[in-house]
């Protein structure tokens, strides 16, 4: 059975992948910066999940 944590990890990985695609096709420096910031934020959340924790945004 898949745990909520596993689902969140896979979701974060997919989100990062989508932002990487958007970053590759960004038309302006502002877009690149926005996508890079979002990738970094999602990577921090993923790192927290992989260490066994839940980020505050997921806390009940």
């Amino acid at each position: 059975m898949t745990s909520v944590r596993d689902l969140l990890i896979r979701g974060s990985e997919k989100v990062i992948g989508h932002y990487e695609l958007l970053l590759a096709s960004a038309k302006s420096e502002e877009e690149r910066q926005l996508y890079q910031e979002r990738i970094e934020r999602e990577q921090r959340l993923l790192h927290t999940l992989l260490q066994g924790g839940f980020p505050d945004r997921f806390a009940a």
Side-chain angles (χ1 to χ4, degrees), residues 3-39:
S3 71
V4 172
R5 184 175 154 274
D6 292 337
L7 291 172
L8 292 172
I9 289 170
R10 280 201 306 272
S12 285
E13 290 169 341
K14 286 183 80 173
V15 167
I16 290 168
H18 288 293
Y19 280 130
E20 287 172 340
L21 290 173
L22 291 169
L23 179 62
S25 63
K27 305 260 189 269
S28 68
E29 184 58 35
E30 291 81 20
E31 270 187 292
R32 282 187 282 281
Q33 184 178 357
L34 174 68
Y35 297 139
Q36 186 60 45
E37 289 171 0
R38 290 182 180 180
I39 289 168

Side-chain angles (χ1 to χ4, degrees), residues 30-54:
E30 291 81 20
E31 270 187 292
R32 282 187 282 281
Q33 184 178 357
L34 174 68
Y35 297 139
Q36 186 60 45
E37 289 171 0
R38 290 182 180 180
I39 289 168
E40 290 168 2
R41 180 180 64 202
E42 198 66 36
Q43 286 173 332
R44 286 190 302 272
L45 294 171
L46 179 58
H47 180 72
T48 300
L49 286 167
L50 290 171
Q51 290 185 347
F54 282 90

